[in-house]
Amino acid sequence: FTDIRLACAAAATSLGRAVSLLREEHRAMPRLPLQLTDLAHELARTLRMCGWRVELDLAPDLDALPTSVRKLIGRFLIEASTNVLKHSRPDTVVTMQVVRAGNRFEGNVESALGQRARVEAAGSGTGLASLKEAAEDLDAHVAWHVRDDRWILTLTGDVP
C-alpha cells in the first residue's frame, strides 16, 4: 500500500509539473510528448496504477485534429487527471471520454467525490480557470459540476 501511495504522489507531482508548464504565459505552448491518444492512455494507466478503475472512450481520429485542439484536449485530460488524484476516492470508477460528431468535439471526465481522497487538497481553482481561458481562446467551453456524488468536467467545442 505504501508503494501505491508513493507512486500516486510521484504521479501527482509529474502531472502538476505538466500543468504548470502549460500555464506559463511567457513560453510557447509545449509540444505534447505523445500523440493525444497516447497521452490519454498514459494518464489512464497512471490512475489505474494509483488504484482507480478507468473507463477510457476515445474517438478514433483524435490525433488528426488540428494542433490547437489536440493541445486543448491534452490540457483538459491532464487537468481532469490531476483533480482525480487530488480530490477523488481511489477504488472507484473514473470515466474519461473524448468523442467527435462532425466538427464538434466533446470531452467528459467523471469521478467519485468523497471525504477520503488519496491526496487531501482544497485546490486553488487556478487549473480550471486556466483551462477555461484556453478553451475560450478557441471558442470552446469548459464546465464543471457535481451530480450524484460525482465530479464532472466537460469540454465542448468546434474544430476550427
Side-chain angles (χ1 to χ4, degrees), residues 12-24 30 74-83 86 126-128 130-131:
T13 299
S14 178
L15 287 172
R17 284 187 196 131
V19 170
S20 293
L21 284 174
L22 290 171
R23 286 187 192 137
E24 288 184 21
R75 284 186 72 174
F76 167 79
L77 292 173
I78 290 168
E79 180 63 27
S81 298
T82 300
N83 285 337
K86 286 183 176 180
T126 304
L128 291 172
S130 174
L131 176 62

Short mmCIF file of all heavy atoms in Angstrom, two decimals, residues 12-24 30 74-83 86 126-128 130-131:
data_model
loop_
_atom_site.label_atom_id
_atom_site.label_comp_id
_atom_site.label_asym_id
_atom_site.label_seq_id
_atom_site.Cartn_x
_atom_site.Cartn_y
_atom_site.Cartn_z
N ALA A 12 1.16 12.59 -9.10
CA ALA A 12 0.56 13.91 -8.87
C ALA A 12 1.59 15.00 -9.11
O ALA A 12 1.29 16.04 -9.71
CB ALA A 12 -0.01 14.00 -7.46
N THR A 13 2.82 14.77 -8.67
CA THR A 13 3.88 15.75 -8.89
C THR A 13 4.17 15.90 -10.37
O THR A 13 4.29 17.02 -10.88
CB THR A 13 5.17 15.32 -8.14
OG1 THR A 13 4.87 15.26 -6.75
CG2 THR A 13 6.30 16.29 -8.39
N SER A 14 4.25 14.80 -11.08
CA SER A 14 4.50 14.82 -12.52
C SER A 14 3.40 15.55 -13.27
O SER A 14 3.65 16.40 -14.14
CB SER A 14 4.66 13.39 -13.05
OG SER A 14 4.86 13.41 -14.43
N LEU A 15 2.16 15.25 -12.94
CA LEU A 15 1.03 15.92 -13.58
C LEU A 15 1.03 17.41 -13.23
O LEU A 15 0.73 18.26 -14.07
CB LEU A 15 -0.29 15.28 -13.18
CG LEU A 15 -0.58 13.92 -13.81
CD1 LEU A 15 -1.82 13.30 -13.17
CD2 LEU A 15 -0.75 14.03 -15.30
N GLY A 16 1.36 17.73 -12.00
CA GLY A 16 1.42 19.13 -11.59
C GLY A 16 2.46 19.91 -12.38
O GLY A 16 2.23 21.04 -12.79
N ARG A 17 3.61 19.27 -12.62
CA ARG A 17 4.64 19.92 -13.44
C ARG A 17 4.15 20.15 -14.86
O ARG A 17 4.39 21.21 -15.44
CB ARG A 17 5.91 19.07 -13.46
CG ARG A 17 6.70 19.14 -12.20
CD ARG A 17 8.03 18.41 -12.34
NE ARG A 17 8.58 18.18 -11.03
CZ ARG A 17 9.03 17.03 -10.60
NH1 ARG A 17 9.02 15.97 -11.38
NH2 ARG A 17 9.51 16.91 -9.39
N ALA A 18 3.47 19.15 -15.41
CA ALA A 18 2.95 19.30 -16.78
C ALA A 18 1.94 20.43 -16.86
O ALA A 18 1.97 21.25 -17.78
CB ALA A 18 2.31 17.98 -17.25
N VAL A 19 1.05 20.51 -15.88
CA VAL A 19 0.05 21.58 -15.87
C VAL A 19 0.73 22.93 -15.70
O VAL A 19 0.38 23.91 -16.37
CB VAL A 19 -1.00 21.34 -14.76
CG1 VAL A 19 -1.89 22.55 -14.58
CG2 VAL A 19 -1.84 20.11 -15.10
N SER A 20 1.74 23.02 -14.84
CA SER A 20 2.46 24.28 -14.65
C SER A 20 3.11 24.74 -15.94
O SER A 20 3.07 25.93 -16.28
CB SER A 20 3.53 24.14 -13.56
OG SER A 20 2.92 23.94 -12.32
N LEU A 21 3.70 23.82 -16.67
CA LEU A 21 4.30 24.18 -17.96
C LEU A 21 3.26 24.73 -18.92
O LEU A 21 3.50 25.69 -19.64
CB LEU A 21 5.00 22.97 -18.58
CG LEU A 21 6.33 22.57 -17.98
CD1 LEU A 21 6.82 21.27 -18.61
CD2 LEU A 21 7.36 23.67 -18.17
N LEU A 22 2.11 24.09 -18.93
CA LEU A 22 1.06 24.53 -19.84
C LEU A 22 0.52 25.91 -19.47
O LEU A 22 0.03 26.65 -20.32
CB LEU A 22 -0.08 23.51 -19.85
CG LEU A 22 0.25 22.17 -20.51
CD1 LEU A 22 -0.87 21.17 -20.25
CD2 LEU A 22 0.47 22.34 -21.99
N ARG A 23 0.60 26.28 -18.20
CA ARG A 23 0.06 27.56 -17.74
C ARG A 23 0.97 28.75 -18.01
O ARG A 23 0.53 29.88 -17.97
CB ARG A 23 -0.20 27.49 -16.23
CG ARG A 23 -1.38 26.66 -15.88
CD ARG A 23 -1.63 26.81 -14.38
NE ARG A 23 -2.58 25.82 -13.97
CZ ARG A 23 -2.48 25.10 -12.86
NH1 ARG A 23 -1.49 25.27 -12.04
NH2 ARG A 23 -3.40 24.21 -12.57
N GLU A 24 2.24 28.50 -18.21
CA GLU A 24 3.17 29.62 -18.36
C GLU A 24 2.79 30.47 -19.56
O GLU A 24 2.66 29.98 -20.67
CB GLU A 24 4.60 29.11 -18.48
CG GLU A 24 5.13 28.56 -17.18
CD GLU A 24 6.58 28.14 -17.29
OE1 GLU A 24 7.28 28.61 -18.20
OE2 GLU A 24 6.99 27.34 -16.45
N PRO A 30 4.14 24.07 -24.93
CA PRO A 30 5.00 22.91 -25.20
C PRO A 30 4.29 21.91 -26.12
O PRO A 30 3.07 21.82 -26.13
CB PRO A 30 5.22 22.29 -23.81
CG PRO A 30 4.09 22.77 -23.00
CD PRO A 30 3.69 24.11 -23.55
N GLY A 74 -5.56 17.84 -24.60
CA GLY A 74 -4.49 17.34 -23.73
C GLY A 74 -4.49 18.04 -22.38
O GLY A 74 -4.40 17.41 -21.33
N ARG A 75 -4.61 19.37 -22.39
CA ARG A 75 -4.69 20.14 -21.14
C ARG A 75 -5.89 19.71 -20.32
O ARG A 75 -5.83 19.58 -19.10
CB ARG A 75 -4.80 21.63 -21.42
CG ARG A 75 -3.50 22.27 -21.83
CD ARG A 75 -3.64 23.75 -21.96
NE ARG A 75 -3.76 24.36 -20.64
CZ ARG A 75 -3.78 25.66 -20.43
NH1 ARG A 75 -3.70 26.49 -21.44
NH2 ARG A 75 -3.91 26.15 -19.22
N PHE A 76 -7.02 19.52 -21.01
CA PHE A 76 -8.25 19.08 -20.34
C PHE A 76 -8.03 17.75 -19.64
O PHE A 76 -8.38 17.58 -18.47
CB PHE A 76 -9.37 18.98 -21.39
CG PHE A 76 -10.59 18.26 -20.93
CD1 PHE A 76 -11.52 18.88 -20.12
CD2 PHE A 76 -10.83 16.94 -21.33
CE1 PHE A 76 -12.66 18.20 -19.69
CE2 PHE A 76 -11.96 16.27 -20.91
CZ PHE A 76 -12.87 16.90 -20.09
N LEU A 77 -7.45 16.78 -20.33
CA LEU A 77 -7.23 15.46 -19.74
C LEU A 77 -6.22 15.50 -18.59
O LEU A 77 -6.40 14.82 -17.58
CB LEU A 77 -6.78 14.47 -20.82
CG LEU A 77 -7.82 14.12 -21.87
CD1 LEU A 77 -7.20 13.27 -22.98
CD2 LEU A 77 -9.02 13.42 -21.26
N ILE A 78 -5.20 16.34 -18.72
CA ILE A 78 -4.21 16.47 -17.65
C ILE A 78 -4.85 17.12 -16.42
O ILE A 78 -4.67 16.65 -15.29
CB ILE A 78 -2.98 17.27 -18.12
CG1 ILE A 78 -2.17 16.44 -19.13
CG2 ILE A 78 -2.11 17.70 -16.95
CD1 ILE A 78 -1.11 17.24 -19.88
N GLU A 79 -5.61 18.19 -16.63
CA GLU A 79 -6.27 18.86 -15.51
C GLU A 79 -7.26 17.93 -14.82
O GLU A 79 -7.32 17.85 -13.59
CB GLU A 79 -6.97 20.14 -15.98
CG GLU A 79 -7.69 20.89 -14.89
CD GLU A 79 -6.78 21.41 -13.79
OE1 GLU A 79 -5.58 21.66 -14.03
OE2 GLU A 79 -7.26 21.57 -12.65
N ALA A 80 -8.03 17.20 -15.62
CA ALA A 80 -9.01 16.27 -15.06
C ALA A 80 -8.30 15.18 -14.24
O ALA A 80 -8.73 14.84 -13.13
CB ALA A 80 -9.85 15.65 -16.16
N SER A 81 -7.20 14.66 -14.78
CA SER A 81 -6.45 13.61 -14.07
C SER A 81 -5.85 14.14 -12.78
O SER A 81 -5.85 13.45 -11.75
CB SER A 81 -5.35 13.04 -14.97
OG SER A 81 -5.91 12.45 -16.11
N THR A 82 -5.34 15.36 -12.82
CA THR A 82 -4.80 15.98 -11.61
C THR A 82 -5.88 16.11 -10.54
O THR A 82 -5.65 15.81 -9.37
CB THR A 82 -4.20 17.37 -11.95
OG1 THR A 82 -3.16 17.20 -12.91
CG2 THR A 82 -3.65 18.05 -10.71
N ASN A 83 -7.07 16.53 -10.96
CA ASN A 83 -8.17 16.67 -10.00
C ASN A 83 -8.60 15.32 -9.44
O ASN A 83 -8.95 15.23 -8.26
CB ASN A 83 -9.34 17.40 -10.64
CG ASN A 83 -9.08 18.88 -10.77
OD1 ASN A 83 -8.26 19.44 -10.06
ND2 ASN A 83 -9.75 19.53 -11.70
N LYS A 86 -6.05 14.42 -6.79
CA LYS A 86 -6.11 15.27 -5.60
C LYS A 86 -7.40 15.09 -4.80
O LYS A 86 -7.39 15.18 -3.59
CB LYS A 86 -6.01 16.74 -6.00
CG LYS A 86 -4.62 17.17 -6.40
CD LYS A 86 -4.63 18.66 -6.68
CE LYS A 86 -3.25 19.17 -6.99
NZ LYS A 86 -3.26 20.61 -7.28
N THR A 126 -7.09 27.39 -9.87
CA THR A 126 -6.29 28.01 -10.91
C THR A 126 -6.22 27.13 -12.16
O THR A 126 -6.29 27.65 -13.28
CB THR A 126 -4.86 28.28 -10.40
OG1 THR A 126 -4.94 29.08 -9.22
CG2 THR A 126 -4.02 28.99 -11.44
N GLY A 127 -6.10 25.84 -11.98
CA GLY A 127 -6.02 24.93 -13.13
C GLY A 127 -7.28 24.99 -13.98
O GLY A 127 -7.21 25.07 -15.21
N LEU A 128 -8.44 24.97 -13.32
CA LEU A 128 -9.69 25.03 -14.06
C LEU A 128 -9.88 26.40 -14.71
O LEU A 128 -10.34 26.49 -15.85
CB LEU A 128 -10.88 24.72 -13.13
CG LEU A 128 -10.97 23.28 -12.66
CD1 LEU A 128 -12.06 23.13 -11.61
CD2 LEU A 128 -11.23 22.35 -13.84
N SER A 130 -7.51 28.44 -15.72
CA SER A 130 -6.59 28.49 -16.85
C SER A 130 -7.10 27.66 -18.02
O SER A 130 -7.02 28.09 -19.18
CB SER A 130 -5.22 27.98 -16.39
OG SER A 130 -4.33 27.88 -17.47
N LEU A 131 -7.64 26.50 -17.72
CA LEU A 131 -8.21 25.65 -18.77
C LEU A 131 -9.39 26.36 -19.44
O LEU A 131 -9.52 26.34 -20.68
CB LEU A 131 -8.65 24.31 -18.18
CG LEU A 131 -9.36 23.35 -19.13
CD1 LEU A 131 -8.44 22.93 -20.28
CD2 LEU A 131 -9.84 22.12 -18.36
#
